């Protein structure tokens, strides 16, 4: 019901015609990837009158499966959950001494867990990229920290123009705190707030792109449940303003956007004649079978394949001689935004609730601590049963940076991330959660990330960097030596934002594309 009441713009991206690319096509602007960077690029270019061809390796998630739903939930994962895995690879993949991962059909699912040595990186796959699978937490970083990580960017302009623009376009809203204070689905968050504040830490409400008015209807049982039906990391069937309903819908409404889905870009190189770049791609079906290999030409190419996707492509193009003059900084400066996960077992009198909204609303803000800044999301653990678990995704200031390189023997781009490099994150988070445990007389859960493993330190949700602004590119994402090639996604941000990153990625893309349109396209 609620879905029907949504503004018509919300469905525009799904309804937009999609002319599929064919070998031999020549296009003015090709965007690789349809996450935040790609969606901003598509909207602003199409509004400037430039037709945009988007190439997305994942599916267009708009057709219901046999159960009538587009996405599956976290309790009953099926082939729609993971990107080509025969078994789930859950972030919290153990419970009470055993693995809880389940066998699934290997399909082009919506959530990828990409394995590198010592680091699994979770990413969205499909039209909308990470917006399809993320928790929707829409956080603007502290201006002082933004200035610290990106000193070459005019922070005043970011905070007066581009952050407000991003928040408005993304449809960011805030939870009604009086509703929240008694809603059954946020019992877990109230326990997280109470135990943190009683231990001397500040908590704060975090804005989100999930429509909290819709969630009220879910709680009242007047609309189909999504956040309250264990839906988030494999997609939300209702309620979430993912990019296909905001930026991409607006871009599609111009009539100038086409998206080729299940197409993976494999090579970009200067065109032999006529200028521009040849772009090679592989088209697959949902089972992973190759349908076609295609080569097209683009006057301009925007890399928006995400921190991992863009970094992998660029280091392989440099190493394999397709783009040999890329700067040596390409591939460097990768970080996990200091991510580390941890869980506590609460006291028996502090149940966290059998009904938990999959959308977080609160963070513990201990960023001002000079001995180890921490911003910890009070995360849901929606299992449908009472667990007394408080789960946290801590964002910390970890100085370690990984590097992508191309491995000639395997023919793949690899990430160098050493196993001890997450330790500064653990140390910072441990100070906060040791204190909470001590004050509350509680203990860590050691059964969620492995057998007797306290810290979820071998995976991240927030890959950032690999093609850092002002180092691998100019101050607006232009790749030096290759006019018409741009980077416009999370790979521009040097490994850390101090908060959940998509608002920063979006705002920076807004800033960069405005400059590119003004200076390169007019
Ligand atoms: P991204 O959104 O990853 O988009 C890249 C797109 O490129 C994807 O659709 C790929 O399928 C596609 N692609 C990659 N390689 C190719 C190729 N070779 N050819 C064609 N297409 C390709 O990049 N952030 C927050 O701020 N708040 C949250 O609450 C939050 N929760 C999260 C929860 C989870 C489970 C995960 C995985 C992430 C979460 N994030 C959150 C992170 C956020 O989603 C992420 O930073 C952004 O999505 C990154 O945006 P990009 O535009 O860089």
């Amino acid at each position: 019901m609620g879905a029907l009441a949504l503004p018509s713009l919300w469905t525009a991206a799904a309804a937009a015609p999609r002319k599929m690319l064919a070998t031999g096509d020549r296009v003015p602007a090709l965007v690789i990837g349809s996450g935040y960077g790609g969606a901003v690029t598509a909207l602003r270019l199409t509004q400037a009158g430039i037709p945009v061809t988007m190439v997305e390796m994942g599916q267009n998630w708009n057709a219901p499966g046999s159960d009538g739903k587009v996405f599956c939930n976290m309790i009953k994962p099926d082939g729609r959950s993971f990107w080509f895995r025969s078994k789930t690879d859950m972030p919290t993949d153990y419970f009470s001494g055993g693995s809880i991962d389940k066998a699934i059909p290997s399909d082009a699912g919506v959530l990828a867990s990409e394995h590198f040595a010592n680091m699994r990186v979770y990413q969205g796959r499909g039209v909308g990229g990470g917006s399809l699978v993320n928790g929707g937490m829409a956080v603007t970083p502290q201006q002082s920290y933004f200035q610290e990580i990106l000193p070459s960017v005019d922070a005043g302009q970011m905070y007066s123009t581009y952050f407000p623009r991003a928040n408005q376009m993304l449809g960011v809203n805030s939870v009604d705190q009086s509703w929240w204070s008694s809603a059954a689905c946020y019992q877990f968050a109230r326990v997280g707030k109470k135990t943190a504040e009683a231990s001397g830490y500040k908590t704060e409400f975090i804005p989100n792109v999930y429509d909290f008015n819709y969630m009220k209807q879910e709680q009242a049982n007047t609309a189909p449940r999504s956040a309250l039906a264990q839906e988030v990391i494999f997609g939300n069937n209702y309620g979430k303003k993912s990019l296909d309903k905001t930026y991409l819908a607006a871009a599609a409404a111009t009539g100038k956007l086409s998206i080729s889905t299940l197409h993976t870009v494999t090579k970009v190189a200067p065109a032999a004649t006529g200028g521009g770049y040849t772009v090679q791609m592989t088209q697959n079906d949902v089972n992973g079978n190759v349908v076609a290999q295609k080569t097209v030409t683009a006057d301009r190419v925007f890399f928006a394949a995400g921190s991992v996707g863009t970094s992998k492509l660029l280091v392989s193009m440099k190493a394999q001689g397709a783009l040999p003059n890329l700067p040596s900084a390409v591939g460097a400066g990768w970080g996990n935004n200091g991510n580390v996960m941890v869980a506590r077992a609460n006291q028996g009198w502090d149940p966290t609730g059998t009904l938990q909204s999959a959308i977080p609303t609160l963070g513990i803000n201990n960023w001002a601590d000079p001995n180890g800044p921490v911003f910890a999301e009070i995360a849901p653990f929606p299992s449908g049963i009472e667990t007394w678990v408080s789960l946290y995704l801590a964002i910390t200031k970890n100085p370690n940076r990984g590097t992508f390189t191309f491995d000639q023997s395997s023919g793949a781009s690899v990430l160098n991330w050493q196993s001890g490099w997450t330790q500064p994150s653990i140390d910072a988070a441990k100070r906060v959660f040791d204190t909470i445990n001590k004050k509350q007389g509680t203990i860590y859960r050691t059964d969620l990330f492995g057998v007797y493993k306290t810290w979820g330190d071998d995976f991240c949700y927030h890959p950032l960097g690999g093609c850092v602004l002002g180092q691998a590119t100019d101050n607006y994402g232009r790749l030096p030596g290759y006019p018409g090639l741009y980077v416009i996604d999370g790979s521009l941000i040097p490994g850390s934002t101090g908060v959940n990153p998509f608002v920063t990625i979006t705002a920076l893309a807004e800033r960069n594309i405005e400059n590119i349109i003004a200076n390169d396209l007019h």
Side-chain angles (χ1 to χ4, degrees):
M1 296 299 111
L4 296 178
L6 296 171
S8 58
L9 188 66
W10 279 43
T11 51
R18 289 191 166 72
K19 186 186 157 296
M20 200 183 284
L21 275 170
T23 286
D25 282 352
R26 180 162 194 127
V27 300
L30 186 141
V31 179
I32 307 171
S34 61
Y36 292 91
V40 171
T41 306
L43 176 61
R44 299 309 173 197
L45 289 179
T46 54
Q47 283 179 332
I50 300 157
V52 169
T53 303
M54 201 166 230
V55 181
E56 167 56 53
M57 69 193 286
Q59 302 191 51
N60 187 21
W61 291 96
N62 61 356
S66 55
D67 59 357
K69 303 249 167 148
V70 173
F71 298 108
C72 63
N73 70 18
M74 293 187 281
I75 302 296
K76 288 193 183 140
D78 57 29
R80 292 169 289 184
S81 61
F82 275 91
W83 178 256
F84 295 114
R85 288 202 167 275
S86 51
K87 201 172 166 203
T88 61
D89 185 26
M90 300 297 280
T92 49
D93 52 358
Y94 282 76
F95 196 78
S96 296
S99 167
I100 54 164
D101 280 322
K102 296 175 182 161
I104 46 167
S106 175
D107 273 333
V110 71
L111 182 68
S113 68
E114 201 167 347
H115 286 222
F116 299 101
N118 308 310
M119 183 54 64
R120 284 179 288 156
V121 186
Y122 287 93
Q123 299 151 86
R125 291 273 181 264
V127 175
S131 77
L132 297 167
V133 299
N134 67 33
M137 292 179 81
V139 199
T140 301
Q142 282 175 23
Q143 185 162 343
S144 55
Y145 192 61
F146 179 85
Q147 257 163 327
E148 189 181 321
I149 56 167
L150 286 169
S152 65
V153 176
D154 180 345
Q157 216 182 20
M158 287 296 294
Y159 282 76
S160 63
T161 303
Y162 302 110
F163 277 115
R165 186 177 293 173
N167 278 302
Q168 190 257 324
M169 280 301 303
L170 291 166
V172 175
N173 71 155
S174 296
V175 70
D176 170 352
Q177 292 181 24
S178 70
W179 172 79
W180 179 94
S181 62
S182 63
C185 63
Y186 282 120
Q187 164 82 13
F188 78 93
R190 292 192 294 274
V191 169
K193 180 178 165 70
K194 185 183 84 171
T195 49
E197 291 181 351
S199 312
Y201 294 104
K202 279 192 308 197
T203 62
E204 56 191 49
F205 282 93
I206 310 294
N208 205 290
V209 297
Y210 197 92
D211 181 346
F212 284 114
N213 284 327
Y214 185 82
M215 198 189 293
K216 279 185 179 174
Q217 297 174 52
E218 294 181 49
Q219 177 72 83
N221 271 319
T222 57
R225 287 184 164 181
S226 181
L228 271 57
Q230 293 131 343
E231 292 178 3
V232 65
I233 65 171
F234 305 138
N236 280 98
N237 284 300
Y238 316 97
K240 198 208 273 178
K241 286 177 255 177
S242 43
L243 290 165
D244 49 322
K245 301 180 176 85
T246 57
Y247 272 98
L248 291 170
T254 66
K256 290 189 176 298
L257 173 66
S258 66
I259 310 179
S260 291
T261 53
L262 290 166
H263 282 57
T264 305
V265 170
T266 53
K267 185 175 177 186
V268 178
T273 54
Y277 294 87
T278 54
V279 182
Q280 289 180 16
M281 60 197 79
T282 304
Q283 182 185 359
N284 294 304
D285 64 17
V286 292
N287 305 120
N289 304 308
V290 174
V291 174
Q293 303 284 359
K294 299 179 180 177
T295 304
V296 304
T297 309
D299 296 334
R300 293 188 162 74
V301 178
F302 293 82
F303 288 84
S307 163
V308 172
T310 292
S311 305
K312 283 195 324 183
L313 264 176
L314 289 176
V315 296
S316 79
M317 293 307 93
K318 181 172 167 65
Q320 294 182 290
L323 299 170
N325 301 326
L326 286 175
S328 55
V330 161
W334 185 86
N336 62 358
N337 204 21
N339 280 188
V340 66
M341 261 198 171
V342 70
R344 294 176 38 255
N346 284 292
Q347 296 283 9
W349 57 80
D350 273 336
T352 47
T354 54
L355 175 69
Q356 297 196 8
S357 170
I359 296 297
T361 45
L362 273 188
I364 300 171
N365 191 344
N366 197 43
W367 197 258
D369 186 344
N371 296 319
V374 175
F375 178 77
E377 160 189 336
I378 297 175
F381 189 64
S383 60
I385 54 166
E386 180 55 59
T387 60
W388 287 272
V389 166
S390 278
L391 181 68
Y392 308 88
L393 169 61
I395 296 170
T396 64
K397 192 174 171 182
N398 184 340
N400 290 316
R401 293 291 174 268
T403 306
F404 283 93
T405 51
F406 185 72
D407 177 17
Q408 297 285 357
S409 58
S410 65
S413 301
V414 295
L415 173 65
N416 174 18
W417 181 268
Q418 310 280 314
S419 63
W421 285 3
T422 315
Q423 193 60 40
S425 301
I426 295 176
D427 294 344
K430 192 171 182 310
R431 285 158 43 82
V432 172
F433 295 107
D434 276 1
T435 306
I436 296 179
N437 276 337
K438 200 166 156 218
K439 292 268 171 62
Q440 302 305 308
T442 53
I443 55 169
Y444 288 109
R445 288 288 296 233
T446 57
D447 61 331
L448 301 184
F449 304 104
V451 179
Y452 298 117
K453 183 164 164 50
T454 304
W455 300 95
D457 59 347
D458 59 348
F459 65 89
C460 80
Y461 285 177
H462 300 164
L464 292 170
C467 195
V468 173
L469 189 88
Q471 297 175 22
T473 71
D474 81 348
N475 200 26
Y476 293 92
R478 297 179 185 89
L479 281 165
Y482 294 101
L485 290 192
Y486 308 91
V487 174
I488 192 144
D489 57 19
S491 59
L492 294 172
I493 296 172
S496 165
T497 51
V499 294
N500 314 60
F502 73 63
V503 173
T504 308
I505 296 170
T506 306
L508 192 65
E510 287 278 18
R511 165 198 181 266
N512 293 352
I513 196 68
E514 190 173 273
N515 181 284
I516 290 164
I517 290 172
N519 293 298
D520 301 12
L521 296 162
H522 281 303

